[in-house]
Amino acid sequence: MNDSVKNIAVLGATGSIGRQTLDIIASHPERYRAVVLTAGSKVDKLIEAALVHRPRRVVIGQTALLPELEAALSPLGIECAAGDEALAECVDADDVDIVVTATVGYSGLMPTVRAIKGGKDIALANKETLVVAGEMINRMLSQSDSKIYPVDSEHSAIAQCLAGEDMSRVRRLLITASGGPFRTWSAERMAVATAADALKHPNWSMGRKITIDSATMMNKAFEIIEAHYLFGVEPSRIEAVVHPQSIVHSMVEFVDGAVKAQMGLPDMHLPIAYALGCHARLDGASGHMSLTDYSNLTFEAPDTDRFPCLALAKTALERRGNTACVINAANEVAVAEFLDGTIRFGQIYDVIERTLASVPFVAVPEFDDYVASNAEARAKAAEVIKSLN
Ligand code: NAD
Ligand code: MG
């Protein structure tokens, strides 16, 4: 084991994953030090975290908030910066060993690309990076010393099940899904569900965007795409299974019929710690689980009629090119408008479907094509939403 202290850049330090990452760093000063913290707009929370962790540098997305950040932190010798370029550039400094990508949506792509170019290890929470540009990211990884360690609990579970195994002996990846708050709701009731209904996740406390993605099961579609790019398993051998208790975090079936599962409490500290440790286990990362408290673990087939977003994983991985990038962009716009009350829950899928039908297909996208497809899909999605109202 390497006993030197690892320097961490936490991107999205004020969010759900970012704060849990900082918990682990604070509990293990002998292993980890936060050297860079970033946030989108929550300047007060970023200042609070910086006062505790004393990083070398902090970056805020919104440039108008830089003076406030500087007033609080510059006197302490903490470098302050703002804007998109600073958010991406802060990851490739020489003193950064591991980059935790815990920002939401497309914003994760640029810093991840920079981290790969800089040869950094990446604890990847931002699954949207692999959804948007999985092919390109894998090409880049093959030419870099950089490695991706998944933070997503399902992918961490799969990585744990695959430890010591031969990939050619894998039959299927089984990705568990809680089913979200609408697992037992009728399609009619779901169509008009409110944001407050959709934000009530039964098992996990997460940021607002991923919580809505869990309610539509778009999150599970994204996780199938993520698993394909992380583990190189073809889409026909990756399945989602609904497991309402969120105790089995995912499973791998092997050619001899054996199924390995990773179980644990629904607590992101464990997968975050496993990623930060580059797949080494950390004492007490999560609490003790008593199996007798969970005597009723159940599994169900997912219902793509009520959750059409789930089927978009298949569409994306069959068509490839910029398809998933367009789906992701349309979803981000639709989710934001749903949270603002502009569209109904049932319309999130319609916005994605119509946007996908109207943005030109690009078969082999390069970086600039992803940027262009993302921008075009956002504009189209906004048009579709206007036409709905
Ligand atoms: P969150 O909304 O709680 O936090 C997001 C963080 O990113 C905040 O610090 C915010 O300031 C920052 N941010 C938002 N937009 C930004 C932008 N445009 N530029 C720079 N920074 C920006 O989100 P979260 O729940 O922590 O999720 C973060 C990522 O992790 C997502 O990709 C999500 O899918 C993934 N993830 C989360 C969980 C979870 O339990 N929360 C589990 C698995 C995967
Ligand atoms: Mg997950």
PDB file of all heavy atoms in Angstrom, residues 181-182 185 187 189-195 197-199 211-218 306-309 334-335 338 342-351:
ATOM      1  N   PRO A 181     -39.432   6.753  -6.871  1.00  0.00           N
ATOM      2  CA  PRO A 181     -40.669   7.000  -6.119  1.00  0.00           C
ATOM      3  C   PRO A 181     -41.934   6.531  -6.840  1.00  0.00           C
ATOM      4  O   PRO A 181     -42.978   6.381  -6.210  1.00  0.00           O
ATOM      5  CB  PRO A 181     -40.675   8.525  -5.954  1.00  0.00           C
ATOM      6  CG  PRO A 181     -39.816   9.043  -7.061  1.00  0.00           C
ATOM      7  CD  PRO A 181     -38.766   7.996  -7.298  1.00  0.00           C
ATOM      8  N   PHE A 182     -41.852   6.298  -8.171  1.00  0.00           N
ATOM      9  CA  PHE A 182     -43.067   5.965  -8.937  1.00  0.00           C
ATOM     10  C   PHE A 182     -43.132   4.497  -9.338  1.00  0.00           C
ATOM     11  O   PHE A 182     -43.880   4.125 -10.228  1.00  0.00           O
ATOM     12  CB  PHE A 182     -43.154   6.855 -10.191  1.00  0.00           C
ATOM     13  CG  PHE A 182     -43.128   8.325  -9.879  1.00  0.00           C
ATOM     14  CD1 PHE A 182     -42.496   9.226 -10.726  1.00  0.00           C
ATOM     15  CD2 PHE A 182     -43.732   8.815  -8.723  1.00  0.00           C
ATOM     16  CE1 PHE A 182     -42.474  10.583 -10.432  1.00  0.00           C
ATOM     17  CE2 PHE A 182     -43.710  10.171  -8.417  1.00  0.00           C
ATOM     18  CZ  PHE A 182     -43.079  11.062  -9.277  1.00  0.00           C
ATOM     19  N   TRP A 185     -46.619   3.395  -9.212  1.00  0.00           N
ATOM     20  CA  TRP A 185     -47.660   4.324  -9.683  1.00  0.00           C
ATOM     21  C   TRP A 185     -48.152   3.909 -11.066  1.00  0.00           C
ATOM     22  O   TRP A 185     -47.396   3.376 -11.876  1.00  0.00           O
ATOM     23  CB  TRP A 185     -47.106   5.746  -9.771  1.00  0.00           C
ATOM     24  CG  TRP A 185     -46.891   6.444  -8.455  1.00  0.00           C
ATOM     25  CD1 TRP A 185     -46.487   5.873  -7.283  1.00  0.00           C
ATOM     26  CD2 TRP A 185     -47.055   7.833  -8.199  1.00  0.00           C
ATOM     27  NE1 TRP A 185     -46.388   6.831  -6.303  1.00  0.00           N
ATOM     28  CE2 TRP A 185     -46.726   8.046  -6.845  1.00  0.00           C
ATOM     29  CE3 TRP A 185     -47.445   8.931  -8.967  1.00  0.00           C
ATOM     30  CZ2 TRP A 185     -46.782   9.311  -6.248  1.00  0.00           C
ATOM     31  CZ3 TRP A 185     -47.480  10.192  -8.386  1.00  0.00           C
ATOM     32  CH2 TRP A 185     -47.171  10.370  -7.034  1.00  0.00           C
ATOM     33  N   ALA A 187     -49.400   4.765 -14.973  1.00  0.00           N
ATOM     34  CA  ALA A 187     -48.904   5.718 -15.973  1.00  0.00           C
ATOM     35  C   ALA A 187     -49.693   7.032 -15.893  1.00  0.00           C
ATOM     36  O   ALA A 187     -49.121   8.123 -16.022  1.00  0.00           O
ATOM     37  CB  ALA A 187     -49.023   5.109 -17.369  1.00  0.00           C
ATOM     38  N   ARG A 189     -51.187   8.413 -13.318  1.00  0.00           N
ATOM     39  CA  ARG A 189     -50.827   9.185 -12.127  1.00  0.00           C
ATOM     40  C   ARG A 189     -49.432   9.810 -12.318  1.00  0.00           C
ATOM     41  O   ARG A 189     -49.197  10.967 -11.953  1.00  0.00           O
ATOM     42  CB  ARG A 189     -50.847   8.238 -10.920  1.00  0.00           C
ATOM     43  CG  ARG A 189     -50.796   8.938  -9.599  1.00  0.00           C
ATOM     44  CD  ARG A 189     -51.063   7.957  -8.471  1.00  0.00           C
ATOM     45  NE  ARG A 189     -50.662   8.554  -7.211  1.00  0.00           N
ATOM     46  CZ  ARG A 189     -50.150   7.881  -6.188  1.00  0.00           C
ATOM     47  NH1 ARG A 189     -49.994   6.569  -6.271  1.00  0.00           N
ATOM     48  NH2 ARG A 189     -49.802   8.503  -5.089  1.00  0.00           N
ATOM     49  N   MET A 190     -48.530   9.014 -12.919  1.00  0.00           N
ATOM     50  CA  MET A 190     -47.168   9.519 -13.146  1.00  0.00           C
ATOM     51  C   MET A 190     -47.138  10.711 -14.100  1.00  0.00           C
ATOM     52  O   MET A 190     -46.341  11.627 -13.931  1.00  0.00           O
ATOM     53  CB  MET A 190     -46.302   8.405 -13.758  1.00  0.00           C
ATOM     54  CG  MET A 190     -45.659   7.529 -12.734  1.00  0.00           C
ATOM     55  SD  MET A 190     -45.005   6.028 -13.493  1.00  0.00           S
ATOM     56  CE  MET A 190     -43.735   6.648 -14.521  1.00  0.00           C
ATOM     57  N   ALA A 191     -48.014  10.665 -15.106  1.00  0.00           N
ATOM     58  CA  ALA A 191     -47.984  11.710 -16.144  1.00  0.00           C
ATOM     59  C   ALA A 191     -48.108  13.102 -15.531  1.00  0.00           C
ATOM     60  O   ALA A 191     -47.542  14.066 -16.049  1.00  0.00           O
ATOM     61  CB  ALA A 191     -49.105  11.465 -17.148  1.00  0.00           C
ATOM     62  N   VAL A 192     -48.849  13.214 -14.427  1.00  0.00           N
ATOM     63  CA  VAL A 192     -49.079  14.534 -13.826  1.00  0.00           C
ATOM     64  C   VAL A 192     -48.418  14.668 -12.442  1.00  0.00           C
ATOM     65  O   VAL A 192     -48.779  15.542 -11.657  1.00  0.00           O
ATOM     66  CB  VAL A 192     -50.598  14.837 -13.727  1.00  0.00           C
ATOM     67  CG1 VAL A 192     -51.188  15.003 -15.119  1.00  0.00           C
ATOM     68  CG2 VAL A 192     -51.331  13.735 -12.953  1.00  0.00           C
ATOM     69  N   ALA A 193     -47.441  13.796 -12.156  1.00  0.00           N
ATOM     70  CA  ALA A 193     -46.746  13.880 -10.853  1.00  0.00           C
ATOM     71  C   ALA A 193     -46.031  15.229 -10.737  1.00  0.00           C
ATOM     72  O   ALA A 193     -45.527  15.766 -11.729  1.00  0.00           O
ATOM     73  CB  ALA A 193     -45.738  12.742 -10.755  1.00  0.00           C
ATOM     74  N   THR A 194     -45.983  15.763  -9.527  1.00  0.00           N
ATOM     75  CA  THR A 194     -45.331  17.061  -9.331  1.00  0.00           C
ATOM     76  C   THR A 194     -43.836  16.855  -9.037  1.00  0.00           C
ATOM     77  O   THR A 194     -43.388  15.745  -8.751  1.00  0.00           O
ATOM     78  CB  THR A 194     -45.934  17.791  -8.119  1.00  0.00           C
ATOM     79  OG1 THR A 194     -45.633  16.999  -6.949  1.00  0.00           O
ATOM     80  CG2 THR A 194     -47.443  17.972  -8.255  1.00  0.00           C
ATOM     81  N   ALA A 195     -43.102  17.986  -9.079  1.00  0.00           N
ATOM     82  CA  ALA A 195     -41.676  17.922  -8.747  1.00  0.00           C
ATOM     83  C   ALA A 195     -41.495  17.424  -7.309  1.00  0.00           C
ATOM     84  O   ALA A 195     -40.589  16.633  -7.033  1.00  0.00           O
ATOM     85  CB  ALA A 195     -41.039  19.297  -8.939  1.00  0.00           C
ATOM     86  N   ASP A 197     -43.360  15.330  -5.692  1.00  0.00           N
ATOM     87  CA  ASP A 197     -43.524  13.865  -5.705  1.00  0.00           C
ATOM     88  C   ASP A 197     -42.239  13.200  -6.211  1.00  0.00           C
ATOM     89  O   ASP A 197     -41.765  12.215  -5.639  1.00  0.00           O
ATOM     90  CB  ASP A 197     -44.642  13.434  -6.684  1.00  0.00           C
ATOM     91  CG  ASP A 197     -46.028  13.916  -6.271  1.00  0.00           C
ATOM     92  OD1 ASP A 197     -46.279  14.012  -5.058  1.00  0.00           O
ATOM     93  OD2 ASP A 197     -46.851  14.188  -7.179  1.00  0.00           O
ATOM     94  N   ALA A 198     -41.711  13.720  -7.315  1.00  0.00           N
ATOM     95  CA  ALA A 198     -40.566  13.086  -7.980  1.00  0.00           C
ATOM     96  C   ALA A 198     -39.285  13.227  -7.152  1.00  0.00           C
ATOM     97  O   ALA A 198     -38.357  12.429  -7.290  1.00  0.00           O
ATOM     98  CB  ALA A 198     -40.373  13.690  -9.369  1.00  0.00           C
ATOM     99  N   LEU A 199     -39.239  14.250  -6.292  1.00  0.00           N
ATOM    100  CA  LEU A 199     -38.021  14.472  -5.490  1.00  0.00           C
ATOM    101  C   LEU A 199     -37.975  13.588  -4.233  1.00  0.00           C
ATOM    102  O   LEU A 199     -36.986  13.596  -3.507  1.00  0.00           O
ATOM    103  CB  LEU A 199     -37.900  15.955  -5.106  1.00  0.00           C
ATOM    104  CG  LEU A 199     -37.453  16.883  -6.253  1.00  0.00           C
ATOM    105  CD1 LEU A 199     -37.631  18.348  -5.880  1.00  0.00           C
ATOM    106  CD2 LEU A 199     -36.006  16.613  -6.683  1.00  0.00           C
ATOM    107  N   THR A 211     -32.027  12.885  -8.888  1.00  0.00           N
ATOM    108  CA  THR A 211     -33.240  12.380  -8.235  1.00  0.00           C
ATOM    109  C   THR A 211     -34.388  12.320  -9.246  1.00  0.00           C
ATOM    110  O   THR A 211     -35.147  11.335  -9.281  1.00  0.00           O
ATOM    111  CB  THR A 211     -33.605  13.241  -7.008  1.00  0.00           C
ATOM    112  OG1 THR A 211     -32.473  13.263  -6.132  1.00  0.00           O
ATOM    113  CG2 THR A 211     -34.785  12.670  -6.251  1.00  0.00           C
ATOM    114  N   ILE A 212     -34.493  13.330 -10.098  1.00  0.00           N
ATOM    115  CA  ILE A 212     -35.519  13.282 -11.160  1.00  0.00           C
ATOM    116  C   ILE A 212     -35.177  12.189 -12.173  1.00  0.00           C
ATOM    117  O   ILE A 212     -36.047  11.437 -12.619  1.00  0.00           O
ATOM    118  CB  ILE A 212     -35.670  14.662 -11.866  1.00  0.00           C
ATOM    119  CG1 ILE A 212     -36.040  15.752 -10.851  1.00  0.00           C
ATOM    120  CG2 ILE A 212     -36.715  14.579 -12.993  1.00  0.00           C
ATOM    121  CD1 ILE A 212     -37.286  15.491 -10.034  1.00  0.00           C
ATOM    122  N   ASP A 213     -33.889  12.077 -12.517  1.00  0.00           N
ATOM    123  CA  ASP A 213     -33.481  10.996 -13.443  1.00  0.00           C
ATOM    124  C   ASP A 213     -33.817   9.617 -12.864  1.00  0.00           C
ATOM    125  O   ASP A 213     -34.078   8.677 -13.614  1.00  0.00           O
ATOM    126  CB  ASP A 213     -31.968  11.056 -13.717  1.00  0.00           C
ATOM    127  CG  ASP A 213     -31.566  12.221 -14.614  1.00  0.00           C
ATOM    128  OD1 ASP A 213     -32.453  12.841 -15.219  1.00  0.00           O
ATOM    129  OD2 ASP A 213     -30.354  12.497 -14.703  1.00  0.00           O
ATOM    130  N   SER A 214     -33.807   9.489 -11.551  1.00  0.00           N
ATOM    131  CA  SER A 214     -34.166   8.209 -10.933  1.00  0.00           C
ATOM    132  C   SER A 214     -35.670   7.982 -11.050  1.00  0.00           C
ATOM    133  O   SER A 214     -36.119   6.856 -11.255  1.00  0.00           O
ATOM    134  CB  SER A 214     -33.771   8.176  -9.463  1.00  0.00           C
ATOM    135  OG  SER A 214     -32.386   8.361  -9.349  1.00  0.00           O
ATOM    136  N   ALA A 215     -36.436   9.057 -10.935  1.00  0.00           N
ATOM    137  CA  ALA A 215     -37.901   8.933 -11.028  1.00  0.00           C
ATOM    138  C   ALA A 215     -38.331   8.542 -12.443  1.00  0.00           C
ATOM    139  O   ALA A 215     -39.293   7.792 -12.619  1.00  0.00           O
ATOM    140  CB  ALA A 215     -38.568  10.237 -10.589  1.00  0.00           C
ATOM    141  N   THR A 216     -37.631   9.036 -13.472  1.00  0.00           N
ATOM    142  CA  THR A 216     -37.976   8.669 -14.866  1.00  0.00           C
ATOM    143  C   THR A 216     -37.286   7.365 -15.275  1.00  0.00           C
ATOM    144  O   THR A 216     -37.590   6.811 -16.325  1.00  0.00           O
ATOM    145  CB  THR A 216     -37.498   9.745 -15.866  1.00  0.00           C
ATOM    146  OG1 THR A 216     -36.069   9.901 -15.734  1.00  0.00           O
ATOM    147  CG2 THR A 216     -38.177  11.080 -15.641  1.00  0.00           C
ATOM    148  N   MET A 217     -36.325   6.926 -14.477  1.00  0.00           N
ATOM    149  CA  MET A 217     -35.414   5.805 -14.765  1.00  0.00           C
ATOM    150  C   MET A 217     -34.444   6.131 -15.907  1.00  0.00           C
ATOM    151  O   MET A 217     -33.751   5.253 -16.417  1.00  0.00           O
ATOM    152  CB  MET A 217     -36.142   4.483 -15.005  1.00  0.00           C
ATOM    153  CG  MET A 217     -36.768   3.980 -13.695  1.00  0.00           C
ATOM    154  SD  MET A 217     -37.309   2.253 -13.740  1.00  0.00           S
ATOM    155  CE  MET A 217     -35.767   1.385 -13.525  1.00  0.00           C
ATOM    156  N   MET A 218     -34.367   7.418 -16.287  1.00  0.00           N
ATOM    157  CA  MET A 218     -33.309   7.818 -17.214  1.00  0.00           C
ATOM    158  C   MET A 218     -31.949   7.537 -16.579  1.00  0.00           C
ATOM    159  O   MET A 218     -30.988   7.168 -17.249  1.00  0.00           O
ATOM    160  CB  MET A 218     -33.457   9.323 -17.529  1.00  0.00           C
ATOM    161  CG  MET A 218     -32.429   9.859 -18.479  1.00  0.00           C
ATOM    162  SD  MET A 218     -32.306   8.875 -19.969  1.00  0.00           S
ATOM    163  CE  MET A 218     -33.228   9.858 -21.062  1.00  0.00           C
ATOM    164  N   ARG A 306     -44.128   2.068 -18.685  1.00  0.00           N
ATOM    165  CA  ARG A 306     -44.311   3.204 -17.766  1.00  0.00           C
ATOM    166  C   ARG A 306     -43.041   4.053 -17.666  1.00  0.00           C
ATOM    167  O   ARG A 306     -43.093   5.225 -17.310  1.00  0.00           O
ATOM    168  CB  ARG A 306     -44.709   2.707 -16.373  1.00  0.00           C
ATOM    169  CG  ARG A 306     -46.202   2.349 -16.272  1.00  0.00           C
ATOM    170  CD  ARG A 306     -46.594   1.984 -14.847  1.00  0.00           C
ATOM    171  NE  ARG A 306     -45.751   0.953 -14.300  1.00  0.00           N
ATOM    172  CZ  ARG A 306     -45.105   1.034 -13.136  1.00  0.00           C
ATOM    173  NH1 ARG A 306     -45.262   2.092 -12.370  1.00  0.00           N
ATOM    174  NH2 ARG A 306     -44.328   0.052 -12.732  1.00  0.00           N
ATOM    175  N   PHE A 307     -41.888   3.452 -17.946  1.00  0.00           N
ATOM    176  CA  PHE A 307     -40.610   4.182 -17.840  1.00  0.00           C
ATOM    177  C   PHE A 307     -39.887   4.151 -19.199  1.00  0.00           C
ATOM    178  O   PHE A 307     -38.860   3.492 -19.355  1.00  0.00           O
ATOM    179  CB  PHE A 307     -39.733   3.564 -16.752  1.00  0.00           C
ATOM    180  CG  PHE A 307     -40.332   3.664 -15.373  1.00  0.00           C
ATOM    181  CD1 PHE A 307     -41.035   2.601 -14.815  1.00  0.00           C
ATOM    182  CD2 PHE A 307     -40.222   4.834 -14.635  1.00  0.00           C
ATOM    183  CE1 PHE A 307     -41.607   2.694 -13.558  1.00  0.00           C
ATOM    184  CE2 PHE A 307     -40.792   4.944 -13.379  1.00  0.00           C
ATOM    185  CZ  PHE A 307     -41.485   3.868 -12.832  1.00  0.00           C
ATOM    186  N   PRO A 308     -40.453   4.863 -20.203  1.00  0.00           N
ATOM    187  CA  PRO A 308     -39.882   4.786 -21.561  1.00  0.00           C
ATOM    188  C   PRO A 308     -38.439   5.298 -21.623  1.00  0.00           C
ATOM    189  O   PRO A 308     -37.688   4.890 -22.508  1.00  0.00           O
ATOM    190  CB  PRO A 308     -40.826   5.659 -22.401  1.00  0.00           C
ATOM    191  CG  PRO A 308     -41.513   6.553 -21.416  1.00  0.00           C
ATOM    192  CD  PRO A 308     -41.622   5.783 -20.140  1.00  0.00           C
ATOM    193  N   CYS A 309     -38.049   6.172 -20.693  1.00  0.00           N
ATOM    194  CA  CYS A 309     -36.665   6.687 -20.721  1.00  0.00           C
ATOM    195  C   CYS A 309     -35.652   5.548 -20.586  1.00  0.00           C
ATOM    196  O   CYS A 309     -34.553   5.622 -21.134  1.00  0.00           O
ATOM    197  CB  CYS A 309     -36.433   7.706 -19.607  1.00  0.00           C
ATOM    198  SG  CYS A 309     -37.254   9.278 -19.906  1.00  0.00           S
ATOM    199  N   ALA A 334     -35.045  19.269 -20.201  1.00  0.00           N
ATOM    200  CA  ALA A 334     -36.391  18.853 -19.790  1.00  0.00           C
ATOM    201  C   ALA A 334     -36.504  18.749 -18.266  1.00  0.00           C
ATOM    202  O   ALA A 334     -37.499  19.190 -17.679  1.00  0.00           O
ATOM    203  CB  ALA A 334     -36.741  17.516 -20.449  1.00  0.00           C
ATOM    204  N   VAL A 335     -35.481  18.196 -17.625  1.00  0.00           N
ATOM    205  CA  VAL A 335     -35.524  18.051 -16.160  1.00  0.00           C
ATOM    206  C   VAL A 335     -35.556  19.433 -15.491  1.00  0.00           C
ATOM    207  O   VAL A 335     -36.334  19.666 -14.554  1.00  0.00           O
ATOM    208  CB  VAL A 335     -34.331  17.201 -15.657  1.00  0.00           C
ATOM    209  CG1 VAL A 335     -34.198  17.285 -14.140  1.00  0.00           C
ATOM    210  CG2 VAL A 335     -34.495  15.745 -16.086  1.00  0.00           C
ATOM    211  N   PHE A 338     -38.991  20.814 -15.916  1.00  0.00           N
ATOM    212  CA  PHE A 338     -39.935  20.108 -15.044  1.00  0.00           C
ATOM    213  C   PHE A 338     -39.806  20.631 -13.611  1.00  0.00           C
ATOM    214  O   PHE A 338     -40.803  20.921 -12.941  1.00  0.00           O
ATOM    215  CB  PHE A 338     -39.699  18.587 -15.106  1.00  0.00           C
ATOM    216  CG  PHE A 338     -40.440  17.840 -14.035  1.00  0.00           C
ATOM    217  CD1 PHE A 338     -41.830  17.760 -14.052  1.00  0.00           C
ATOM    218  CD2 PHE A 338     -39.754  17.228 -12.981  1.00  0.00           C
ATOM    219  CE1 PHE A 338     -42.522  17.078 -13.047  1.00  0.00           C
ATOM    220  CE2 PHE A 338     -40.443  16.559 -11.981  1.00  0.00           C
ATOM    221  CZ  PHE A 338     -41.827  16.487 -12.010  1.00  0.00           C
ATOM    222  N   THR A 342     -42.533  24.114 -15.687  1.00  0.00           N
ATOM    223  CA  THR A 342     -42.944  24.482 -17.053  1.00  0.00           C
ATOM    224  C   THR A 342     -43.560  23.303 -17.795  1.00  0.00           C
ATOM    225  O   THR A 342     -44.459  23.487 -18.611  1.00  0.00           O
ATOM    226  CB  THR A 342     -41.724  24.985 -17.870  1.00  0.00           C
ATOM    227  OG1 THR A 342     -40.917  25.780 -17.034  1.00  0.00           O
ATOM    228  CG2 THR A 342     -42.155  25.744 -19.102  1.00  0.00           C
ATOM    229  N   ILE A 343     -43.032  22.093 -17.572  1.00  0.00           N
ATOM    230  CA  ILE A 343     -43.605  20.917 -18.241  1.00  0.00           C
ATOM    231  C   ILE A 343     -44.005  19.876 -17.195  1.00  0.00           C
ATOM    232  O   ILE A 343     -43.547  19.920 -16.050  1.00  0.00           O
ATOM    233  CB  ILE A 343     -42.619  20.275 -19.262  1.00  0.00           C
ATOM    234  CG1 ILE A 343     -41.335  19.770 -18.589  1.00  0.00           C
ATOM    235  CG2 ILE A 343     -42.303  21.242 -20.392  1.00  0.00           C
ATOM    236  CD1 ILE A 343     -40.444  18.928 -19.501  1.00  0.00           C
ATOM    237  N   ARG A 344     -44.855  18.942 -17.648  1.00  0.00           N
ATOM    238  CA  ARG A 344     -45.300  17.877 -16.746  1.00  0.00           C
ATOM    239  C   ARG A 344     -44.302  16.725 -16.760  1.00  0.00           C
ATOM    240  O   ARG A 344     -43.512  16.579 -17.706  1.00  0.00           O
ATOM    241  CB  ARG A 344     -46.680  17.375 -17.182  1.00  0.00           C
ATOM    242  CG  ARG A 344     -47.776  18.406 -17.016  1.00  0.00           C
ATOM    243  CD  ARG A 344     -49.154  17.750 -17.150  1.00  0.00           C
ATOM    244  NE  ARG A 344     -49.308  17.043 -18.423  1.00  0.00           N
ATOM    245  CZ  ARG A 344     -49.713  17.612 -19.553  1.00  0.00           C
ATOM    246  NH1 ARG A 344     -50.000  18.910 -19.564  1.00  0.00           N
ATOM    247  NH2 ARG A 344     -49.828  16.913 -20.669  1.00  0.00           N
ATOM    248  N   PHE A 345     -44.385  15.871 -15.752  1.00  0.00           N
ATOM    249  CA  PHE A 345     -43.454  14.742 -15.633  1.00  0.00           C
ATOM    250  C   PHE A 345     -43.463  13.886 -16.898  1.00  0.00           C
ATOM    251  O   PHE A 345     -42.411  13.540 -17.446  1.00  0.00           O
ATOM    252  CB  PHE A 345     -43.825  13.883 -14.415  1.00  0.00           C
ATOM    253  CG  PHE A 345     -42.832  12.785 -14.139  1.00  0.00           C
ATOM    254  CD1 PHE A 345     -41.615  13.066 -13.548  1.00  0.00           C
ATOM    255  CD2 PHE A 345     -43.113  11.475 -14.502  1.00  0.00           C
ATOM    256  CE1 PHE A 345     -40.685  12.063 -13.306  1.00  0.00           C
ATOM    257  CE2 PHE A 345     -42.189  10.462 -14.267  1.00  0.00           C
ATOM    258  CZ  PHE A 345     -40.972  10.760 -13.663  1.00  0.00           C
ATOM    259  N   GLY A 346     -44.666  13.576 -17.392  1.00  0.00           N
ATOM    260  CA  GLY A 346     -44.810  12.710 -18.563  1.00  0.00           C
ATOM    261  C   GLY A 346     -44.230  13.329 -19.829  1.00  0.00           C
ATOM    262  O   GLY A 346     -44.010  12.621 -20.821  1.00  0.00           O
ATOM    263  N   GLN A 347     -44.008  14.649 -19.815  1.00  0.00           N
ATOM    264  CA  GLN A 347     -43.482  15.319 -21.015  1.00  0.00           C
ATOM    265  C   GLN A 347     -41.950  15.263 -21.107  1.00  0.00           C
ATOM    266  O   GLN A 347     -41.385  15.603 -22.146  1.00  0.00           O
ATOM    267  CB  GLN A 347     -43.959  16.780 -21.060  1.00  0.00           C
ATOM    268  CG  GLN A 347     -45.459  16.875 -21.308  1.00  0.00           C
ATOM    269  CD  GLN A 347     -45.967  18.311 -21.238  1.00  0.00           C
ATOM    270  OE1 GLN A 347     -45.587  19.076 -20.351  1.00  0.00           O
ATOM    271  NE2 GLN A 347     -46.832  18.673 -22.181  1.00  0.00           N
ATOM    272  N   ILE A 348     -41.289  14.832 -20.043  1.00  0.00           N
ATOM    273  CA  ILE A 348     -39.819  14.774 -20.093  1.00  0.00           C
ATOM    274  C   ILE A 348     -39.401  13.852 -21.241  1.00  0.00           C
ATOM    275  O   ILE A 348     -38.562  14.201 -22.087  1.00  0.00           O
ATOM    276  CB  ILE A 348     -39.223  14.292 -18.742  1.00  0.00           C
ATOM    277  CG1 ILE A 348     -39.521  15.303 -17.629  1.00  0.00           C
ATOM    278  CG2 ILE A 348     -37.708  14.061 -18.870  1.00  0.00           C
ATOM    279  CD1 ILE A 348     -39.079  14.870 -16.227  1.00  0.00           C
ATOM    280  N   TYR A 349     -40.039  12.687 -21.308  1.00  0.00           N
ATOM    281  CA  TYR A 349     -39.700  11.737 -22.377  1.00  0.00           C
ATOM    282  C   TYR A 349     -40.030  12.325 -23.755  1.00  0.00           C
ATOM    283  O   TYR A 349     -39.238  12.196 -24.693  1.00  0.00           O
ATOM    284  CB  TYR A 349     -40.434  10.404 -22.177  1.00  0.00           C
ATOM    285  CG  TYR A 349     -40.193   9.455 -23.322  1.00  0.00           C
ATOM    286  CD1 TYR A 349     -38.981   8.777 -23.438  1.00  0.00           C
ATOM    287  CD2 TYR A 349     -41.151   9.272 -24.334  1.00  0.00           C
ATOM    288  CE1 TYR A 349     -38.731   7.926 -24.512  1.00  0.00           C
ATOM    289  CE2 TYR A 349     -40.901   8.421 -25.412  1.00  0.00           C
ATOM    290  CZ  TYR A 349     -39.697   7.754 -25.494  1.00  0.00           C
ATOM    291  OH  TYR A 349     -39.446   6.928 -26.554  1.00  0.00           O
ATOM    292  N   ASP A 350     -41.191  12.985 -23.875  1.00  0.00           N
ATOM    293  CA  ASP A 350     -41.585  13.553 -25.176  1.00  0.00           C
ATOM    294  C   ASP A 350     -40.547  14.549 -25.673  1.00  0.00           C
ATOM    295  O   ASP A 350     -40.224  14.584 -26.859  1.00  0.00           O
ATOM    296  CB  ASP A 350     -42.938  14.288 -25.062  1.00  0.00           C
ATOM    297  CG  ASP A 350     -44.054  13.354 -24.591  1.00  0.00           C
ATOM    298  OD1 ASP A 350     -43.897  12.132 -24.756  1.00  0.00           O
ATOM    299  OD2 ASP A 350     -45.059  13.865 -24.049  1.00  0.00           O
ATOM    300  N   VAL A 351     -40.041  15.372 -24.760  1.00  0.00           N
ATOM    301  CA  VAL A 351     -39.047  16.382 -25.155  1.00  0.00           C
ATOM    302  C   VAL A 351     -37.789  15.679 -25.689  1.00  0.00           C
ATOM    303  O   VAL A 351     -37.232  16.073 -26.723  1.00  0.00           O
ATOM    304  CB  VAL A 351     -38.686  17.301 -23.952  1.00  0.00           C
ATOM    305  CG1 VAL A 351     -37.511  18.215 -24.282  1.00  0.00           C
ATOM    306  CG2 VAL A 351     -39.900  18.111 -23.522  1.00  0.00           C
TER     307      VAL A 351
END
